[in-house]
Amino acid sequence: MYKPVVDFIRSHYQTDNFIALHEPVFIGNERAYVLETIDSTFVSSVGKFVDRFEEMIREYTGAKYAVATVNGTAALHMAMLVAGVNSNDLVITQSLSFIATCNAISYLNAEPVFVDVDLKTLSLSPEKLEVFLNENAEVINNECFHIETGRRISACVPMHTFGHPAEIDRIKEICDRFHICLIEDAAESIGSTYKNQQTGTFGLLGIFSFNGNKTITCGGGGVIVTNDEHLGKMAKHLTTQAKVPHRWDFVHDHIGYNYRLPNLNAAMACAQLEQLDKFIELKRNWANQYEQFFESTAITFCKEPENSKSNYWLNAILLKDRTERDEFLTYTNDNGIMTRPCWTLMHKLVMFKNAIKGDLSTSEWIEDRLVNLPSTVKI
């Protein structure tokens, strides 16, 4: 019963070979910029392409400050650090997420609190967030505390799942009301907009990822964006080992991190960013073809939410139940089409099984049914 899906995907990519979930596409200035970097000998964290990439990100997103990092996880860690997340704090996030978010929270000796997602966005639910906070939190002296444990809830980190924007304005309003810092995990949503504003720019800080499977890539790479001058400058300082600028002296004034994006990677990132709008146009066209195909089936295609323009980083469908999901995964992968389920929910992992959590019924329903489909840009 799944053969028509395999045939449809093969007809799009026009190949009988293995079809990956999401591969990088290099058709622009990647080679020229990388070779220029090699010829310059500035291949590490100092070089013109790092600065150029940050400038391009600022121009693209509209954020006032951008700090390029070695990967998205480092960007998350640094964003939460400069935002004031401390040891023993609680950080609200979603269980339906890639583990990088929870890992970054853990690096700070803080702990995640899991709130459910919306079916319409696959991202953090503002309704469930408000219910959780009304029932479990109180504001004292402009700080939010978890009533049962007395621990501070210092941040909320929603993720824009598969590139689909969360209802981030509603989440921000709730966070502001409860005096919780909003940090956007926009790792998957570069170029996606909500109400004509770039994801990653609604919160105090936002981050993007440029891992090898993302919409644009430089092998690894990440970036922090913010409109806060102090936080932007502090993030850049701490990601460069907190070295005080001087022509020859080595003086450091904080515990720093070797998180600066190398110039070699930044060269590729610049070339990829030059093509982002074209890639998104092609990905949205492919998503539209998926949507039309699945309209005549019993399978539900996950469309972009209302008021949003998604980059459709990974296309997703919802099957009837876990049994049908597993049958679909087996058939497609056996026939050379790479598909995958969503991540194991974070609260089911051994590291986070005792974490504080609200009702997660929607996350668990999605976990049983969701499958990601090949989403590589076809030129």
Side-chain angles (χ1 to χ4, degrees), residues 111-114 346-347 349-358:
E111 291 185 14
V113 172
F114 297 118
M346 294 297 102
H347 73 279
L349 299 179
V350 63
M351 306 84 73
F352 308 116
K353 64 180 182 179
N354 296 320
I356 298 166
K357 56 184 180 292

Side-chain angles (χ1 to χ4, degrees), residues 263-282:
N263 196 42
L264 197 64
N265 298 86
M268 183 180 291
C270 289
Q272 287 271 287
L273 190 53
E274 290 172 350
Q275 303 166 85
L276 177 56
D277 286 341
K278 178 180 180 179
F279 287 172
I280 291 176
E281 180 183 357
L282 292 169

Side-chain angles (χ1 to χ4, degrees), residues 39-307:
D39 290 341
S40 76
T41 73
F42 287 94
V43 296
S44 194
S45 59
V46 175
K48 74 173 188 179
F49 284 107
V50 184
D51 296 332
R52 181 189 297 181
F53 180 57
E54 290 174 335
E55 180 181 357
M56 292 174 70
I57 288 289
R58 291 195 299 270
E59 291 177 352
Y60 191 90
T61 65
K64 293 180 180 178
Y65 300 92
V67 180
T69 61
V70 291
N71 53 55
T73 309
L76 275 169
H77 178 203
M78 188 54 51
M80 285 187 276
L81 177 66
V82 299
V85 175
N86 295 324
S87 179
N88 201 47
D89 280 356
L90 299 176
V91 176
I92 295 173
T93 190
Q94 55 202 66
S95 186
L96 182 72
S97 181
F98 183 55
I99 197 170
T101 314
C102 288
N103 279 343
I105 293 168
S106 301
Y107 297 162
L108 295 162
N109 293 315
E111 291 185 14
V113 172
F114 297 118
V115 170
D116 211 0
V117 298
D118 271 332
L119 182 58
K120 58 188 174 183
T121 66
L122 306 178
S123 299
L124 192 72
S125 164
E127 290 86 2
K128 294 289 186 71
L129 175 63
E130 186 157 30
V131 167
F132 178 85
L133 290 171
N134 282 333
E135 293 179 351
N136 298 280
E138 60 181 349
V139 176
I140 303 173
N141 295 327
N142 294 326
E143 290 188 306
C144 187
F145 293 89
H146 184 246
I147 294 171
E148 183 177 348
T149 63
R151 297 168 69 179
R152 185 174 72 127
I153 303 175
S154 57
C156 177
V157 187
M159 185 186 74
H160 300 288
T161 307
F162 306 137
H164 298 314
E167 289 186 90
I168 196 66
D169 57 346
R170 295 182 61 198
I171 293 171
K172 183 179 187 304
E173 187 277 324
I174 296 166
C175 287
D176 288 347
R177 190 168 3 118
F178 280 87
H179 297 270
I180 297 171
C181 173
L182 176 61
I183 300 169
E184 290 176 74
D185 184 347
E188 302 170 0
S189 65
I190 183 72
S192 296
T193 59
Y194 179 73
K195 295 183 177 179
N196 298 314
Q197 182 175 334
Q198 294 286 330
T199 56
T201 64
F202 288 81
L204 182 63
L205 302 111
I207 73 95
F208 299 102
S209 170
F210 307 102
N211 188 42
N213 65 349
K214 293 298 192 296
T215 302
I216 58 173
T217 184
C218 55
V223 71
I224 303 164
V225 293
T226 184
N227 289 326
D228 187 291
E229 180 180 9
H230 171 72
L231 296 183
K233 290 181 176 179
M234 179 59 71
K236 186 169 184 177
H237 182 57
L238 294 182
T239 54
T240 52
Q241 298 284 26
K243 183 181 182 298
V244 178
H246 193 277
R247 286 192 297 164
W248 55 77
D249 281 343
F250 286 88
V251 177
H252 306 261
D253 58 3
H254 289 79
I255 299 297
Y257 299 84
N258 189 19
Y259 280 178
R260 187 74 167 152
L261 182 69
N263 196 42
L264 197 64
N265 298 86
M268 183 180 291
C270 289
Q272 287 271 287
L273 190 53
E274 290 172 350
Q275 303 166 85
L276 177 56
D277 286 341
K278 178 180 180 179
F279 287 172
I280 291 176
E281 180 183 357
L282 292 169
K283 287 173 71 64
R284 288 179 58 80
N285 178 62
W286 182 208
N288 184 59
Q289 292 179 58
Y290 269 134
E291 182 181 350
Q292 292 179 24
F293 173 82
F294 285 112
E295 281 178 351
S296 61
T297 74
I299 297 171
T300 299
F301 178 74
C302 296
K303 298 185 289 187
E304 66 188 358
E306 188 179 356
N307 298 315

